[in-house]
Amino acid sequence: MINFEKYQIHTGGRTSGRIKTFCPECHTQRKNKCDKSLSVNLDTGQAYCHYCNWKINVRWEERPKPEPFVIPATQAVVLKNEHVEWFTKQRGIPAGVLTSAGITSAEEFMPQTGKKEWCICFNYYEGKRLVNTKYRDLNKNFKLVSGAELIPYNLNSILNEPECIITEGEIDALSFMAIGCTNVISVPGGANRNLSWMDRFIESHFDDKKVIYICTDTDRKGQELRDELLRRLGAERCRIVDLAPAKDANEVLVSAHGSEALKTALANAPAAPLEGVYTADDLSDELRTLFENGLGSGAD
């Protein structure tokens, strides 16, 4: 059972449904002591005050906080020269972007090879807390820290921003950083339709977004991820970045037209189609036929 009383939210003995009650943040200062300004969903744990805008999700506050993952001081090193060279020459990512993104190198045991390998470290931060790290060697073997929480990569960059970009991978996120778009995140597990990790961040990092650019890969799994993001975030505020014929954002960045092509794809991203909603362009052929031929005769 959710412990609302711990946060001085009095539910009158109710355990389910929706109620309105007094806000513990502003009630003592209110002139109207009878106004129950706090809306509470007893099932989800969410509470919001319509007077002072205080909000809390008690269910999430009650969850045990995961232990922070810390890279041992003997393990974390500055990004190795061979990794910098790989990023700049193979992926078109400048060294300055790698530094600002907190990319490091580490020698880590990789189960795919059965031995320690020098890996690129994509470090996942929430605030100043290092939550997870994805290790990647130059042979494209990957590993996340076992038992660490899944959170979006580069999460801090979209907090309180009116717009954001969502990509399928860390290197795609770095590709947007390379063209000056810093408000970009990557999903943590690639093209995986299970986005339960997102639930904790909907209210804090996504509810305030006016525009969300979705830039997944153009293969089948990437399109499935795109559709699930649209379902969760609301298609009405999303734009779909069209990368075709390239596979992903980094492939566009390293193409002949490079950064300008990626900037153009972002600038021209169309709004996500809304089910049951049509524009004049969608019906232009029918309207032209009606204009030229009229309604036609009815049945005899």
Side-chain angles (χ1 to χ4, degrees):
M1 182 182 296
I2 304 174
N3 186 5
F4 288 96
E5 298 295 329
K6 177 180 176 180
Y7 300 91
Q8 300 180 328
I9 299 174
H10 304 299
T11 62
R14 292 275 301 277
T15 58
S16 64
R18 298 173 181 266
I19 64 168
K20 295 199 74 174
T21 187
F22 300 117
C23 174
E25 289 293 304
C26 68
H27 180 62
T28 55
Q29 290 84 36
R30 295 286 305 279
K31 292 182 179 180
N32 183 2
K33 301 295 185 183
C34 298
D35 181 25
K36 295 182 177 182
S37 58
L38 188 72
S39 295
V40 183
N41 187 322
L42 299 173
D43 300 308
T44 66
Q46 291 182 316
Y48 175 75
C49 178
H50 299 276
Y51 182 80
C52 69
N53 296 321
W54 179 72
K55 58 185 177 181
I56 189 174
N57 189 318
V58 177
R59 182 186 293 278
W60 283 104
E61 292 293 332
E62 292 289 295
R63 288 185 58 173
K65 298 293 188 296
E67 290 295 323
F69 163 67
V70 178
I71 297 178
T74 57
Q75 182 186 24
V77 298
V78 177
L79 196 61
K80 288 173 65 68
N81 288 337
E82 64 176 312
H83 290 161
V84 175
E85 185 175 339
W86 179 82
F87 271 114
T88 55
K89 292 185 177 181
Q90 301 295 323
R91 298 292 186 162
I93 310 294
V97 171
L98 304 176
T99 301
S100 62
I103 307 294
T104 56
S105 297
E107 193 174 18
E108 180 69 17
F109 177 83
M110 299 299 285
Q112 297 91 338
T113 64
K115 61 180 181 178
K116 284 190 174 183
E117 306 283 357
W118 275 104
C119 297
I120 297 165
C121 302
F122 298 97
N123 299 305
Y124 285 62
Y125 284 92
E126 182 179 3
K128 296 182 178 180
R129 184 171 68 96
L130 180 61
V131 177
N132 207 334
T133 291
K134 180 181 282 188
Y135 300 97
R136 183 199 196 279
D137 66 19
L138 294 184
N139 291 319
K140 208 174 180 179
N141 295 313
F142 298 92
K143 184 180 82 169
L144 282 162
V145 175
S146 178
E149 182 184 10
L150 289 178
I151 68 169
Y153 176 69
N154 202 36
L155 176 67
N156 292 338
S157 72
I158 68 168
L159 185 63
N160 299 323
E161 290 288 333
E163 299 182 358
C164 74
I165 306 166
I166 302 178
T167 69
E168 188 176 317
E170 297 87 355
I171 294 178
D172 291 328
L174 293 172
S175 299
F176 279 103
M177 294 183 212
I179 64 170
C181 301
T182 57
N183 54 331
V184 55
I185 63 171
S186 165
V187 298
N192 189 336
R193 294 182 64 184
N194 181 5
L195 301 182
S196 57
W197 54 265
M198 182 179 276
D199 294 342
R200 184 163 76 85
F201 304 104
I202 289 292
E203 185 175 328
S204 58
H205 289 73
F206 294 102
D207 276 357
D208 62 347
K209 298 294 177 282
K210 305 300 183 185
V211 180
I212 299 174
Y213 295 89
I214 297 179
C215 185
T216 57
D217 291 3
T218 54
D219 57 15
R220 180 182 59 82
K221 287 190 174 181
Q223 302 311 296
E224 290 177 352
L225 172 61
R226 176 202 65 190
D227 293 343
E228 182 62 18
L229 287 168
L230 288 174
R231 187 187 70 81
R232 282 176 169 266
L233 298 171
E236 66 279 357
R237 57 176 176 161
C238 292
R239 293 182 176 272
I240 308 299
V241 181
D242 184 7
L243 302 173
K247 176 182 178 290
D248 55 33
N250 187 249
E251 188 172 311
V252 175
L253 182 66
V254 299
S255 67
H257 298 287
S259 59
E260 290 304 317
L262 190 55
K263 289 178 182 178
T264 299
L266 183 66
N268 295 336
L274 300 177
E275 185 177 351
V277 176
Y278 303 94
T279 67
D281 287 339
D282 297 324
L283 302 174
S284 59
D285 292 341
E286 290 88 342
L287 291 172
R288 171 61 64 180
T289 301
L290 179 62
F291 176 77
E292 293 178 349
N293 304 323
L295 288 173
S297 58
D300 292 338

